[in-house]
Amino acid sequence: MKLIEFIKLILKHKVALFVIPLLAGILAILLTSNPKHSYYSKTNLFTGLATGSSVEMDKSFNYFATNIAFDNLINIINSRETHEEVAIRLLAQHLMLKEPDNKFISDKTFELLKEDMPKDIYKYVAKSNIPDTTDLSLEIDDVVNTLPESINKADYEQTVSNLMKLMKKDNTNFVYSLLNFEHPYYSLEAISKIKAVRISNSDLIELSYETEDPGVCQQTLAIFNEVCIKKYKNLKENGSDAVIKYFESQLLQSENKLKTIEDQLLKFNQDNSIINYYEQSKAVANVKEDMDVEYNKKRAELAGYEASAKKLEKKLEIQELVQDKSNRVLENKKRLGELNYELAILETKTNDSKKTADIEKLKNQAAKLQEEIKTGVAQLYSFQNSVEGVPSSKVLPEWVDKIVEAENIKAKLDVMSKRNLEFQQQYAKYAPAGAILKKIERQINVAEQEYLEILHGLNLAKLKFQDTQLSSNLKAVDPPYFPLKPIPSKRKIVIIAIVILSFILVLASILIMEFFDNTLKNITVANEKLKIPALGMLAKVFKTNETIDLLGIQDRLMELIMQNLNHVLKTQKASGTTKIITIFSTQKEEGKTIIANNIARKLIHAGKSVVVLNHSTIVKPKINSDKSPKLNLLLGYQDPRIDYDHPFLDEPNNYLESSCMATYEVNGAFFNAKSYKDLTLSEPNVSLKEPDYVIIELPNILDTNYPADLIVASDLVLLVCRSNRLWSKADENLLNNIKELSPSKLQYIINGVAIDEVESLLGELPKKRSIARRKIKNLLRFQFHLKNHI
């Protein structure tokens, strides 16, 4: 769309673009004539979440954790439970007031409250004769007093508790309905209008509220501060306290477990006579190892002595004479062995003084026996020599020594064998004890580590609890103030916005209708849709206020049509002297009859003989002149009524002779007609002998079949269509069939075109325009030197 076309469109609808927003503005003025005034108050809460103190000295700033903490706090503020408690506390405060107090509620609101509240709701209000002794000056957190002096704080808290229980009882009670419907002060919808936002990147959160009563506005924010501080503190501390209790219970369990295992270790040591298992086992192992070495050494010595004694005995040949002496020596030897055995046992088992005398006695007996054996042996071998010729005095002492030493070693080996058995029993006792002791020690170690870890966790939880107590201490640094002036009304802005929005909506509607207008509209659009040459266009004949010379415009359009018609007919190779013009339309009431009669009138004025043939099925349209033009005129549009007094719509009898008009029957002859002479006429007095022009009007071809041969024989086939109609697929199919019959002779006239569209053929229309409008129009067209002569 060009700029000039947009300007024309705006000028066409200028009155609607002015009147509709004006009416919308007037309506907005009427609807906002009695506005409700609102009061605004705000308060600031210091959170300390970003820069507050902490018991953790090495705690670093975490941007994301801080943002999450602020989000949690704001979500607690915006939670339904918080809103419910605020609403209940506000309601309890108002119910307990005996008379209106502007600091808490205005007179008008108080009276409305009394009217809305049922009588049975007051039975939930607690009443006592005990005066309230609470010193409000000591309430550091309560910067704004939320209770009048006449209300006892204990009664107030009891009333709040009663109302909370009533609300949670079911969903049909009055309090539940009051909170969930649309009450201006107590509903959750009203309380949710409190806005909570973080002030920039600071530790402050701003709470703001807007309502119709200044006292309710201030008190709602004050109660909101109390509820938020209490809920946030309880939530933070309860979570940390639960963690501490968990660690304390786990620490007690771990301590009991560790004590049980330690008692088990003590009992095990007592049962097994263990003082220090590792030192004791090491000492036993060392003694056992030394004894094993000594035992093996003694066994080796015994084997040597026995071998030597056997060798010496073989070397000696004892005579029968010394047999008796030998037996005595052997008995003494046996007795000596027994004495040595007893002596070895006494020496290894005790150091008692009483036993020492026995040992000395046994040693004396042993020494005496040794002397007897030596004496007896000396007597036996005093006269004898060995087999190898060795004297007896040398062999016998050596043999006696070997025998004595062998018996001595045997006694020691017997004692050492018994000690080995004792060590084996000790080993059998210590071997499983070590594994069990190791297992118990591992259990103790695990239990100690568990205890220490839990103790560490408890210490961290206590530090966290202290840190939470510091961080959860919200404080109202800027208490809500009592608003004295209402918020300035936005009535003017609303009215202006409605006017502007109405203008935009009307303009958008106009542009959308223009954009989606799919009618034939003008020659440019019709050429794109019909794809056949245009013979011309005719404007819509409407009543004018003499600002437009519609008579001259229509006459000039007809002259252009006649000029084009003559040009087309001259270019055609005429088969005869009579020119046949066939006029048709796809639908009815397209204006064929009027156009055919006006073409005939122009031809007759040019001195031509013309016959107009109309079909017998023509139904004259009903003239409806009762259509009221008031709305159109109010909105600045053209009068929609048709000007039936216009010469263009004059009855054909006023300018055509009866011999120039005839009616034919739509019958079999019509469908098979090859020439206009084949048509069956209803007026027999009409002569069809070689006129200059024959104009044949066909019925609308969408409802009636057309004579194809007659169309082929025509010199000009003229399609008439209205500009305000849609071109459908059925119309296109019928037109394509006509194109196949007469492709070069087919043209169209678009009828009833808007007067502004005529400028595409006639140029700028002569209208009464102001000098300013003409200059603006030339400016938009960039025609600055239009009046300059060459």
Side-chain angles (χ1 to χ4, degrees), residues 3 38 57 68 143 232 259 336 361 370 409 417 423 428 470 476 494 534 581 666 680 696 762:
L3 179 60
S38 296
M57 303 305 296
I68 292 173
V143 180
Y232 186 70
K259 186 177 180 181
L336 180 62
K361 184 179 179 180
Q370 288 179 358
I409 290 173
S417 296
F423 277 116
L470 292 175
V494 171
I581 302 174
V666 180
T680 303
I696 304 173
L762 301 183

Side-chain angles (χ1 to χ4, degrees), residues 75 139 229 278 291 313 349 368 537 561 610 675 776 787:
N75 288 332
E139 297 284 343
I229 292 172
Y278 298 103
M291 185 172 288
E313 288 176 353
K349 285 189 175 182
K368 187 183 289 185
M537 69 167 66
I561 290 174
V610 181
S675 175
I776 292 174
K787 297 297 183 180

Side-chain angles (χ1 to χ4, degrees), residues 70-84 188 191-197 205-207 224 228:
F70 272 102
D71 290 341
N72 292 337
L73 177 57
I74 292 175
N75 288 332
I76 291 173
I77 292 173
N78 295 329
S79 66
R80 179 184 176 90
E81 185 177 356
T82 303
H83 293 171
E84 287 177 349
L188 297 179
I191 301 298
S192 64
K193 292 180 182 178
I194 296 177
K195 298 179 181 178
V197 292
I205 288 182
E206 182 182 272
L207 301 177
F224 211 96
C228 290

Side-chain angles (χ1 to χ4, degrees), residues 390-564:
V390 179
S392 300
S393 58
K394 293 183 178 181
V395 175
L396 289 175
E398 184 179 356
W399 178 78
V400 172
D401 291 338
K402 297 294 183 183
I403 293 298
V404 172
E405 289 297 330
E407 292 297 330
N408 189 16
I409 290 173
K410 285 181 180 180
K412 291 181 179 180
L413 286 176
D414 290 337
V415 174
M416 292 178 72
S417 296
K418 291 183 179 181
R419 291 293 291 167
N420 278 335
L421 291 175
E422 293 178 358
F423 277 116
Q424 290 295 334
Q425 294 176 358
Q426 193 73 12
Y427 262 90
K429 181 179 178 181
Y430 271 37
I436 296 173
L437 190 63
K438 196 73 174 177
K439 177 181 177 182
I440 296 174
E441 288 178 347
R442 283 198 305 269
Q443 291 177 350
I444 291 175
N445 188 27
V446 172
E448 285 179 349
Q449 293 297 325
E450 180 183 354
Y451 180 82
L452 293 175
E453 287 295 329
I454 294 174
L455 184 61
H456 179 66
L458 178 61
N459 292 331
L460 292 179
K462 288 183 177 180
L463 288 175
K464 187 67 176 178
F465 179 71
Q466 295 298 325
D467 188 63
T468 301
Q469 284 185 322
L470 292 175
S471 63
S472 63
N473 190 18
L474 304 181
K475 185 176 181 181
V477 295
D478 186 11
Y481 57 86
F482 186 89
L484 297 177
K485 294 182 179 180
I487 300 174
S489 175
K490 297 180 182 178
R491 185 186 180 198
K492 295 180 181 178
I493 299 176
V494 171
I495 294 173
I496 294 173
I498 290 175
V499 171
I500 295 174
L501 182 61
S502 301
F503 177 82
I504 294 174
L505 290 176
V506 173
L507 180 61
S509 301
I510 293 171
L511 294 176
I512 291 173
M513 291 173 63
E514 185 71 17
F515 181 78
F516 289 102
D517 184 6
N518 202 26
T519 60
L520 295 178
K521 194 174 183 180
N522 53 37
I523 282 184
T524 304
V525 178
N527 284 337
E528 294 177 359
K529 294 182 179 294
L530 302 181
K531 298 178 183 178
I532 57 176
L535 192 66
M537 69 167 66
L538 291 172
K540 183 178 180 181
V541 180
F542 52 86
K543 292 185 177 183
T544 63
N545 53 1
E546 298 182 355
T547 58
I548 300 175
D549 185 12
L550 188 58
L551 181 62
I553 291 173
Q554 197 76 339
D555 188 60
R556 179 56 184 158
L557 291 174
M558 279 301 303
E559 289 177 355
L560 291 175
I561 290 174
M562 295 308 298
Q563 178 181 338
N564 293 333

Side-chain angles (χ1 to χ4, degrees), residues 647-694:
F648 188 75
L649 301 180
D650 200 1
E651 291 291 335
N653 295 330
N654 296 333
Y655 55 84
L656 293 179
E657 297 179 358
S658 59
S659 60
C660 296
M661 297 183 293
T663 303
Y664 62 87
E665 298 291 336
V666 180
N667 51 22
F670 166 74
F671 298 121
N672 298 320
K674 296 182 181 180
S675 175
Y676 67 92
K677 296 179 181 180
D678 298 333
L679 300 175
T680 303
L681 301 180
S682 302
E683 296 84 359
N685 58 338
V686 177
S687 175
L688 298 179
K689 294 181 179 180
E690 300 298 332
D692 293 330
Y693 292 90
V694 175

